[in-house]
Amino acid sequence: MGSGIAGLIAARDLLGLKTEIVGVGAAKAPATALSFAAGRPIAAPSAQTFADGLATREPHADAVAAICRGAARMVEVTEDAIAEAMRIYFDDTHQVAEGAGAAPLAALLLERTRLANKNAAVILSGGNIERARFLAVLGGATPSAA
């Protein structure tokens, strides 16, 4: 529902920083990206992503207002990109990330050319994933929506 990015925007603003914050959404759950583009909450016909934390059909008005006020842009990532980011986290750092937690890394990888020679960071959060689903991802699969 946007609490993560809204919190980042609030912290940045309270600290008086100029850090660019980029929102991330699942391409198969486009409500937040559509709402950001419109500047108001927009309902999406579906939210068919296995990244449960991104599966929003209609974002909360307060979250949309915060995102519109403080995010530079939204990046939409595919299910395959999310699954690959989960594998990268596990293989490279031995951290378990659920789909929504890995989505920022998927976006960073998607934007690597745009961000070349710039400082960039992602926040890894969310390890709430079922064992069978995580094993499928580690085995190279991309799960279907829950």
Side-chain angles (χ1 to χ4, degrees):
M1 300 283 296
S3 61
I5 189 171
L8 287 173
I9 290 166
R12 178 207 52 205
D13 294 350
L14 287 170
L15 292 170
L17 302 174
K18 297 186 185 307
T19 306
E20 181 179 88
I21 296 176
V22 177
V24 181
K28 288 190 170 186
T32 303
L34 293 171
S35 298
F36 179 78
R40 62 182 175 78
I42 299 288
S46 70
Q48 298 298 313
T49 178
F50 80 92
D52 300 342
L54 302 179
T56 302
R57 282 187 184 251
E58 187 170 354
H60 192 277
D62 292 340
V64 172
I67 296 167
C68 288
R69 184 176 58 252
R73 63 185 177 285
M74 286 288 300
V75 176
E76 291 182 283
V77 293
T78 66
E79 302 296 287
D80 288 340
I82 294 169
E84 180 61 19
M86 291 170 68
R87 286 187 284 275
I88 289 169
Y89 270 131
F90 188 77
D91 290 343
D92 295 351
T93 69
H94 305 288
Q95 299 295 311
V96 174
E98 64 185 68
L105 178 59
L108 181 65
L109 293 169
L110 181 67
E111 292 207 320
R112 69 178 139 232
T113 302
R114 178 183 189 151
L115 298 172
N117 300 314
K118 294 183 179 181
N119 294 324
V122 295
I123 294 174
L124 169 58
S125 66
N128 183 25
I129 185 167
E130 301 86 10
R131 174 189 289 248
R133 183 170 277 193
F134 190 58
L135 288 174
V137 168
L138 291 181
T142 298
S144 58

